[in-house]
Structures are given as C-alpha cells and as structure tokens.
Amino acid sequence: MPRPSLKDQRSDEILDAYLTCVARFGLEGATQERIAAEAGVKRPLLRHYLGNRGQMITALCDHVVLVFDRMTDGADAVLKEAQSYEEVIGLLFAEDIDHDPRLLVAWQALAVSVGDQPDQRDALLNSLERFLQALTRTFQRLSPNRSMEKTRAVAQGVMAILVNLDSLSILSPPQAWRNELRDGAAILLASLEGEG
Amino acid sequence: MPRPSLKDQRSDEILDAYLTCVARFGLEGATQERIAAEAGVKRPLLRHYLGNRGQMITALCDHVVLVFDRMTDGADAVLKEAQSYEEVIGLLFAEDIDHDPRLLVAWQALAVSVGDQPDQRDALLNSLERFLQALTRTFQRLSPNRSMEKTRAVAQGVMAILVNLDSLSILSPPQAWRNELRDGAAILLASLEGEG
DNA sequence: TTATTTTTTGTCATAATTGACAATTTATCA
DNA sequence: TGATAAATTGTCAATTATGACAAAAAATAA
C-alpha cells in the first residue's frame, strides 16, 4: 500500500550530480544548491535521501569507490583478452574509451579532505590497490618469468601515468603531452618483454 | 617619514598560510578565517594586502607558480651534478629532500578551479613544462644519443610518478608503494641506458 | 614632538550555506 | 474511493563567509 520507494535510484542520481560538482568545484565548492541544481531536484531532497553534510560526504566516498571498482572490473575484463603490450597500451590509452573523467578528480578531492578518517582513507587506498592488482595480473600473464617486484613496479608506473593523464585533462594540455605519456607507459611495459 | 611598508613580507606570509590551507582543505575550504588563523593575523588584513576573494586566488596562483619554479630551479641545479641515473633516482626520491608536500596538492586544487581562466591555466601548465624540460636536459646529457621523443616520453613518465607520489602522500600509503614507484621510475630511466 | 604613512584592529551589513521541520503531493493497495 | 507511506516542496532560523569601511596603533623623518 505504500508508495514505491525510489530511494536507491534517487540516491544514485543525486550522488552522480554530487560527483559532477565535486569534480568541477572541489569538495567544499560542491554546495547543496549546486548539487540540487545539477540533479534537477530541490535542496531538501538531498537531506531526505543522503542525510546531513557529513553523511553526504561519506556516501559520496562510498559511491566513488564503488564506481572506481566497477571501472576496475571493466578494465580487468578487457585486459584479460589482451595478447600483447601494444594491445594493452591501446586499451588503456584509447581516446574513445568509455572513461569517466570526473572519477579521479573527485577521488583526489576526497583524499585531501578525508585523510584523517581511517575508514574512508583505507577505502580509497583499497580501490587503487585493486586497480593495481588488475594491471599486475595482466602483466604477469604476458611476462610470467619476471619477478613480482619488477612487475609491481611497472604496474605502479603505468598507473601513475594514467592518473596523471586524468589530472591534467582538466587543463586540456597539448596533445603532444598525451602522446608522450602514452609512450612513457609503452617504454615501461617494454621493459617486461624479452627473455628472463 | 612614512611607516616602512611590510607589504611584500606580509603578503608572502599570508600567501604561505593560504597555500597551507588550500593543501589541507581545498580551494573552497580555505576560508579567510582559516587563512587568517594560520597566518596569525586578523581577517581584514587579508583584504588589505591581497584584495578580495578573486584577487586572492589570482595571487595564490602566481605564488604557487613562483614556488614551483623555484623548486624546479633547485632541482635543476642539483641534477646538473648527477653523473648516473642511480644518482638521479637518489636525488629525486630522497626521503629527506627539502620538498614542499603542499605544492602539488595546491597546484591540482587550483587546476580544477581555474581551468576556465586562460592566463592561470597557461601559467600552471608552463610551470610543469619547465620542470619537464629540466628533467629532459639532464636525461639528454646522460644519454646524448637517444632520440628527443624517447627522452621526453621518459621524462613525462618520471614526472608523472613524482606527481603521483605527492598526491598519494596525503593518504600516507604503505612504504612499499613508495618503493615500487621509485623502482618504476628507475626502470624507465634504465631504458635510456646502453648503446644506441 | 609632530606630521605622515602604513599597519592593524574593530565592527557592521549583506550574502551564502546549512539544518530542521511542517505541509503538500503522489502513487499504490485494500 | 480511502488509507497509507513515500516523495516532494516550502519555509524559517542559525551559522558561516565575505565585503566594506572607520578608527586606532605604530613607526619613521623632519
């Protein structure tokens, strides 16, 4: 007899608008007015669905980690098919890739402001570690004879380059930079090739 | 006859406090109250020395670029003495290096919020380009036979790893990550070694 | 000491942001 | 249709942030 609940759907919509605002204005710049406008709802609804400001930040953190993990799973599935490092580079640096540019920006904004809350700190670090392990698994499969240490180091380097590319994209850097960063990742991967 | 002006000194002190607050709370979270408290002055002084909010942001952007360039010059001077890539790695990743952890965090906070103002955008990008060129010069000196393309790509990769390390440091990641990132940079540099 | 300029502080008005809650509307089922 | 529970909206108080300006304090040279 009750009206059907839209809690999950609306919460997701609002969190997505929140994510957009944080990526554009920073965490403190993402006011409830802006979020509500972005989501196309009235401000009191934010409170209704997500709670007060602190609870909203916690919910956003969970949401970012969730989306990040989904992205990792997607990348992992695609990387499983790759048969060469050229293919890996092509997949990771594809221009037309379905890749959310807001994600890492919001990730970093959260990192600076929740660094003191252990739970959220660990959640953010874990989401990175998951992605790192996805990369590492693929590299190990393509170069099974390499030491774990070297494989991890290369994976860290590739991830750093990917993160850097995302951070820079806000400033729309020259295309040459993008190419150079991709080539840098390719050089790193090439170090895993060849015999033992 | 007039009282001696402290404008330059006070402005620098306030900008430094501003930098601290932006690194800790984000650009929008760096309120005048917090800045004044951090600088140990009363709030109206901020306005007196730096102007209104918009002018303060502009001044901060200039200050960050200035400090960044000073850091680049310092790194450049040190790198000039390096005779091997092991030395380069040791210098860039020294634990005890005199290196301001606020700098890149504030750089990124500014990047997301001034992305639309062309002047500040270019200033921020130029400061990165300057550091990139400092790295590139050293790598070219140590490996004069390498192509410019490869040298730049390696420099971009190393810079990405350094930036990433700074961004992560807020979350105090496991020491293993730091080591892996440093090893990743070392692997990149090793690709410049050897003949032709 | 006095004039001059700057620093520094005090204070008020306005706008922005958030918290809280009442009231209304809407959709479902009995 | 009427009851029920949820969604949605309206509104106000409290807190916070900013802008603006007047006034006091301090330092130097004449």
Side-chain angles (χ1 to χ4, degrees), chain B residues 18 38 40 42 46 59 88 100 105 107 116 129 133 137 146 156 166 175 178 189:
Chain B
Y18 197 1
E38 177 72 27
K42 301 293 181 181
L46 308 188
V88 170
D100 192 338
V105 180
W107 193 97
D116 42 355
E129 173 68 24
Q133 288 179 359
R137 274 195 301 274
R146 293 296 173 186
Q156 285 274 16
D166 253 37
Q175 178 66 34
R178 301 178 173 275
L189 288 183

Side-chain angles (χ1 to χ4, degrees), chain A residues 108 121 156 171-172 180, chain B residues 108 121 156 171-172 180:
Chain A
Q108 294 211 345
R121 186 197 83 105
Q156 284 274 17
L171 297 178
S172 44
E180 287 161 1
Chain B
Q108 293 210 347
R121 186 196 85 104
Q156 285 274 16
L171 297 178
S172 44
E180 288 161 0

Side-chain angles (χ1 to χ4, degrees), chain B residues 76-88:
Chain B
D76 196 31
V78 173
L79 287 174
K80 272 194 167 57
E81 311 297 323
Q83 296 303 324
S84 71
Y85 286 123
E86 285 93 19
E87 242 183 284
V88 170

Side-chain angles (χ1 to χ4, degrees), chain A:
Chain A
M1 61 258 310
R3 178 174 179 174
S5 176
L6 299 181
K7 195 169 180 57
D8 290 355
Q9 177 189 345
R10 275 278 180 280
S11 297
D12 267 13
E13 291 172 2
I14 293 174
L15 284 171
D16 197 65
Y18 197 1
L19 180 57
T20 298
C21 289
V22 168
R24 192 178 307 163
F25 304 110
L27 188 65
E28 311 289 328
T31 66
Q32 294 185 358
E33 282 298 340
R34 283 171 168 164
I35 299 167
E38 178 71 28
V41 300
K42 300 293 180 181
R43 187 174 71 81
L45 271 199
L46 307 188
R47 178 176 188 75
H48 179 67
Y49 285 111
L50 299 184
N52 62 23
R53 184 181 156 78
Q55 295 167 321
M56 282 182 67
I57 294 180
T58 299
L60 177 66
C61 194
D62 294 344
H63 185 250
V64 165
V65 167
L66 188 76
V67 175
F68 199 118
D69 285 350
R70 269 208 291 265
M71 185 272 290
T72 295
D73 291 341
D76 196 31
V78 172
L79 287 174
K80 271 192 168 58
E81 310 298 324
Q83 295 303 324
S84 71
Y85 286 122
E86 286 93 19
E87 242 183 285
V88 169
I89 290 291
L91 292 169
L92 292 177
F93 291 86
E95 300 274 348
D96 61 336
I97 201 173
D98 184 22
H99 170 255
D100 193 337
R102 305 167 304 168
L103 196 53
L104 282 176
V105 179
W107 193 96
Q108 294 211 345
L110 282 170
V112 308
S113 290
V114 307
D116 42 356
Q117 274 147 355
D119 289 350
Q120 307 186 7
R121 186 197 83 105
D122 291 349
L124 290 173
L125 282 179
N126 282 340
S127 64
L128 263 196
E129 173 68 24
R130 258 175 63 87
F131 183 69
L132 197 57
Q133 288 179 359
L135 289 181
T136 306
R137 274 194 302 275
T138 291
F139 299 167
Q140 275 185 314
R141 176 172 59 80
L142 292 176
S143 301
N145 294 331
R146 294 297 174 186
S147 73
M148 184 60 174
E149 289 73 27
K150 181 160 187 175
T151 309
R152 279 278 296 194
V154 169
Q156 284 274 17
V158 170
M159 188 172 75
I161 289 174
L162 287 170
V163 170
N164 194 250
L165 200 50
D166 252 37
S167 302
L168 284 181
S169 66
I170 316 174
L171 297 178
S172 44
Q175 178 66 32
W177 283 29
R178 300 178 173 274
N179 296 336
E180 287 161 1
L181 282 167
R182 185 198 31 158
D183 293 347
I187 292 171
L188 257 178
L189 288 184
S191 78
L192 294 177
E193 282 179 331
E195 71 285 357

